[in-house]
Amino acid sequence: MKKSDPIGIFDSGIGGTSIFKEIHKLLPLEHILYLADSKNAPYGEKTKEEITSLSFKNVDLLLSKNCKLIVVACNTATTSSIKELREKYKVPFIGIEPAIKPAALNSKTKAIGILATKGTLSSELFAQTTDLIAKDIELIEVVGNGLVEAVEDGEQGSEKTHQLLKKLLAPMIEKKIDHLVLGCSHYPYLVPSIKKILPPHVQIIDSGEAVARQTKNVLKKKGLLASVQQIKPEFYTNKNPQVLRDLLHQGNSENFQVSYLDF
């Protein structure tokens, strides 16, 4: 592996671009390859075996492009498959999990909302994390059915999505949460709508910055941080490239290369 080799990122679609943006901001010299497996989104409704198989497929493709580190920018793929990925491949992996710890440490009402996919909330890794961290906290867990599809279809700001969010967040508001943990990399794109629904004091937490810092730490430790500007990030999707293109260009003047790839 060389410093000039790319960082690989994959997600069950376009939501992991929220993680990409944090990594790109922190490590602007790095060449990044992003895989959006939108054809198979959402992963949250699939079995552990299906998710692991899809994760292997994505990793094999990224390794064929000489990636020096791989970020699993999908909560469901992390909680279902990170152990198997680390056992099978020698490349370093960075996973993404719901940021329950900072929410638990800072909660005054002792009630935290977790919005995530079925696959994340029902995983063994999630259960272990919550058992360790949130013993004296009430966790109001809600499966975000339909939210990944809304982002994948470019409908994150629509009235239909707003009404869906109102329904999903209602039990959390009733329990007086003071923190909402976003347990899916698609969900940061829903924050503008979420803020219109939740009381203003509720803190919304996602994992993007923490994942970017961990990526930098691992590359630094292994002597693999790029020291000169590499080529621009590249994006590959197995569905409609225009949706990914539009999402990347929201509030961003950079013109990223987005290509269709049948994988």
Side-chain angles (χ1 to χ4, degrees), residues 105-191:
L105 290 172
N106 293 299
S107 177
K108 291 182 171 57
T109 64
K110 301 300 178 187
I112 293 169
I114 303 173
L115 189 62
T117 66
K118 178 184 172 185
T120 294
L121 292 175
S122 61
S123 70
E124 187 180 335
L125 183 56
F126 179 80
Q128 290 171 353
T129 303
T130 52
D131 286 348
L132 281 171
I133 294 168
K135 287 179 182 173
D136 303 319
I137 303 284
E138 183 177 10
L139 300 179
I140 298 88
E141 301 171 10
V142 174
V143 176
N145 285 333
L147 296 180
V148 168
E149 292 90 336
V151 176
E152 288 289 324
D153 293 339
E155 293 289 323
Q156 58 267 30
S158 73
E159 180 59 24
K160 182 183 174 185
T161 302
H162 183 76
Q163 291 303 320
L164 175 58
L165 281 166
K166 276 180 75 173
K167 181 182 171 185
L168 293 171
L169 296 172
M172 301 184 184
I173 296 169
E174 190 179 319
K175 291 284 188 176
K176 296 184 168 50
I177 65 163
D178 60 359
H179 288 75
L180 172 63
V181 178
L182 301 181
C184 173
S185 56
H186 284 72
Y187 296 173
Y189 289 110
L190 299 165
V191 166

Side-chain angles (χ1 to χ4, degrees), residues 52-237:
T52 301
S53 176
L54 290 167
S55 297
F56 285 170
K57 175 202 68 169
N58 296 333
V59 169
D60 286 338
L61 180 50
L62 289 170
L63 290 180
S64 75
K65 296 179 180 293
N66 300 315
C67 288
K68 61 186 175 183
L69 174 146
I70 292 176
V71 178
V72 184
C74 173
N75 287 268
T76 302
T78 297
T79 52
S80 297
S81 309
I82 196 77
K83 181 172 176 283
E84 287 80 1
L85 289 170
R86 286 175 172 148
E87 286 171 354
K88 181 171 180 177
Y89 302 97
K90 291 181 180 177
V91 67
F93 285 93
I94 308 293
I96 168 174
E97 296 177 61
I100 300 166
K101 188 174 182 179
L105 290 172
N106 293 299
S107 177
K108 291 182 171 57
T109 64
K110 301 300 178 187
I112 293 169
I114 303 173
L115 189 62
T117 66
K118 178 184 172 185
T120 294
L121 292 175
S122 61
S123 70
E124 187 180 335
L125 183 56
F126 179 80
Q128 290 171 353
T129 303
T130 52
D131 286 348
L132 281 171
I133 294 168
K135 287 179 182 173
D136 303 319
I137 303 284
E138 183 177 10
L139 300 179
I140 298 88
E141 301 171 10
V142 174
V143 176
N145 285 333
L147 296 180
V148 168
E149 292 90 336
V151 176
E152 288 289 324
D153 293 339
E155 293 289 323
Q156 58 267 30
S158 73
E159 180 59 24
K160 182 183 174 185
T161 302
H162 183 76
Q163 291 303 320
L164 175 58
L165 281 166
K166 276 180 75 173
K167 181 182 171 185
L168 293 171
L169 296 172
M172 301 184 184
I173 296 169
E174 190 179 319
K175 291 284 188 176
K176 296 184 168 50
I177 65 163
D178 60 359
H179 288 75
L180 172 63
V181 178
L182 301 181
C184 173
S185 56
H186 284 72
Y187 296 173
Y189 289 110
L190 299 165
V191 166
S193 282
I194 291 171
K195 283 184 172 177
K196 291 175 186 174
I197 299 163
L198 290 178
H201 69 275
V202 177
Q203 295 288 309
I204 302 171
I205 301 177
D206 70 66
S207 308
E209 286 185 25
V211 171
R213 288 194 301 272
Q214 180 66 0
T215 300
K216 182 178 181 179
N217 291 341
V218 171
L219 288 176
K220 189 174 181 181
K221 186 178 176 182
K222 294 185 175 294
L224 289 171
L225 275 173
S227 49
V228 294
Q229 181 71 57
Q230 305 302 309
I231 64 174
K232 279 189 174 184
E234 300 171 59
F235 297 82
Y236 298 94
T237 177

Side-chain angles (χ1 to χ4, degrees), residues 234-245:
E234 300 171 59
F235 297 82
Y236 298 94
T237 177
N238 52 18
K239 212 168 179 185
N240 182 2
Q242 194 56 47
V243 177
L244 178 52
R245 210 170 278 125

Side-chain angles (χ1 to χ4, degrees), residues 4-48:
S4 58
D5 287 340
I7 294 170
I9 303 176
F10 79 83
D11 180 38
S12 59
I14 61 180
T17 51
S18 63
I19 305 295
F20 155 76
K21 288 176 180 178
E22 296 294 345
I23 294 172
H24 185 48
K25 185 164 67 177
L26 187 64
L27 300 169
L29 298 181
E30 298 287 348
H31 177 202
I32 300 174
L33 296 179
Y34 182 94
L35 284 188
D37 189 17
S38 292
K39 185 171 68 177
N40 293 299
Y43 282 9
E45 302 298 315
K46 299 185 186 302
T47 65
K48 176 180 169 63

